[in-house]
Amino acid sequence: LQTRMQSLQPDPKAQYRSVYEALKKIVLTEGFWRPLRGINVTMLGAGPAHAMYFACYEKMKKSLSDTLQHGENSHLANGIAGSVATLLHDAVMNPAEVVKQRMQMFNSPYKSVLACIRTVQKTEGFGAFYRSYTTQLTMNVPFQAIHFITYEFMQEQINPHREYNPRSHIVSGAIAGAVAAAATTPLDVCKTLLNTQENMALSSMNISGHLSGMLNAFKTVYQLGGISGYFRGVQARVIYQMPSTAIAWSVYEFFKYFLTKRKLEKRT
């Protein structure tokens, strides 16, 4: 839904006024499973990407907190650790995101994940999978910095003793995801344009070949949609991110608690 709603020059059959209308229209005209197209490639990359992401975050957060605030919670340390962890995470997830978004576009010509990978590789080269990487980082570094700082701040407010408390992790994760998602929507719109290379949008601007670079994407979005163009799909993005970050944090905190508990039991 987010990919479709961020389309700058959508096909008349793919114009939506709200998340509910978009979902209803896609299901009725394209099938029940259409909104989930491309989810398999996302799931494939998500495992190793998130493993590196949280491992790097925990290690850096601890090291930087020890240095900056003698082991106490440091918002600066949380932001830096989240930003560095993003570099590893996005190196794995960027190609998966390109494939997913191309398969989700209206009238997508790709029949499967493999067909999409082969066609993009053959027609645009390997670089196409990382065309939006710098934009992705430019978006995700502030997103993750805001995300981690907000999460840790919320934990300080509702779970100051940092005990395992599923409700606090879900609430903190959801709020952190919503705040970070809303703040970085303009960058996400630019990333979607770079990933999809939306034909109608580019041809209306007389752009031949492929659009590349965050600055070019920013200019194109403004020329096509003005200031409001930067916030296309903000509702869908927030709705998507809230459960996503809430689930990620609650699952992560559970395994962190479970593994720490087992480690202590073995020692005693």
Side-chain angles (χ1 to χ4, degrees):
L1 295 183
Q2 183 186 327
T3 301
R4 295 277 188 98
M5 292 184 78
Q6 285 181 343
S7 176
L8 295 165
Q9 293 286 320
D11 187 286
K13 293 177 184 176
Q15 290 181 337
Y16 316 111
R17 287 170 295 186
S18 68
V19 173
Y20 174 73
E21 186 198 345
L23 184 61
K24 184 181 174 183
K25 205 169 180 180
I26 291 169
V27 169
L28 288 174
T29 59
E30 300 174 55
F32 181 78
W33 298 108
R34 189 64 178 88
L36 296 176
R37 196 158 187 234
I39 195 171
N40 50 347
V41 71
T42 305
M43 289 171 70
L44 194 67
H50 279 78
M52 291 189 292
Y53 175 66
F54 279 114
C56 178
Y57 173 68
E58 281 294 339
K59 184 68 178 172
M60 281 209 69
K61 181 180 80 167
K62 190 177 184 305
S63 301
L64 288 170
S65 292
D66 288 343
T67 306
L68 297 170
Q69 242 165 291
H70 309 292
E72 292 181 20
N73 185 40
S74 164
H75 293 307
L76 179 61
N78 299 335
I80 294 170
S83 300
V84 175
T86 303
L87 297 175
L88 293 174
H89 176 272
D90 286 3
V92 176
M93 286 305 293
N94 203 87
E97 186 77 1
V98 171
V99 175
K100 183 197 79 172
Q101 290 194 317
R102 290 198 181 217
M103 291 184 72
Q104 287 176 340
M105 290 298 284
F106 182 74
N107 274 343
S108 173
Y110 312 109
K111 303 296 179 188
S112 68
V113 169
L114 277 176
C116 182
I117 293 169
R118 284 174 187 153
T119 306
V120 173
Q121 166 70 31
K122 190 177 177 181
T123 58
E124 300 177 47
F126 180 76
F129 295 109
Y130 283 94
R131 192 178 284 129
S132 68
Y133 185 55
T134 52
T135 304
Q136 179 97 330
L137 288 177
T138 308
M139 179 190 75
N140 278 355
V141 166
F143 176 92
Q144 297 301 354
I146 295 166
H147 172 204
F148 282 108
I149 289 169
T150 307
Y151 179 81
E152 299 286 359
F153 173 77
M154 288 304 301
Q155 283 290 285
E156 278 185 344
Q157 306 309 307
I158 61 178
N159 186 18
H161 300 297
R162 304 309 296 264
E163 296 167 346
Y164 174 62
N165 184 332
R167 187 180 294 178
S168 81
H169 303 316
I170 290 169
V171 171
S172 298
I175 292 172
V179 171
T184 57
T185 296
L187 292 161
D188 195 47
V189 172
C190 295
K191 184 203 76 174
T192 297
L193 180 61
L194 288 170
N195 275 351
T196 59
Q197 297 292 310
E198 198 183 327
N199 290 329
M200 288 180 73
L202 299 186
S203 60
S204 70
M205 294 297 298
N206 295 319
I207 297 171
S208 57
H210 304 298
L211 183 71
S212 61
M214 188 185 67
L215 192 60
N216 289 331
F218 255 97
K219 287 178 183 174
T220 306
V221 171
Y222 182 75
Q223 287 166 339
L224 287 166
I227 297 296
S228 62
Y230 292 119
F231 291 92
R232 289 182 72 90
V234 65
Q235 185 187 10
R237 181 164 160 76
V238 169
I239 290 170
Y240 165 77
Q241 285 295 344
M242 284 182 77
S244 174
T245 47
I247 292 166
W249 277 110
S250 57
V251 171
Y252 171 69
E253 293 282 9
F254 167 75
F255 279 103
K256 185 178 170 183
Y257 165 75
F258 177 73
L259 294 171
T260 305
K261 190 181 176 185
R262 283 196 65 182
K263 196 174 179 182
L264 287 170
E265 285 174 353
K266 279 186 179 179
R267 283 180 182 174
T268 54

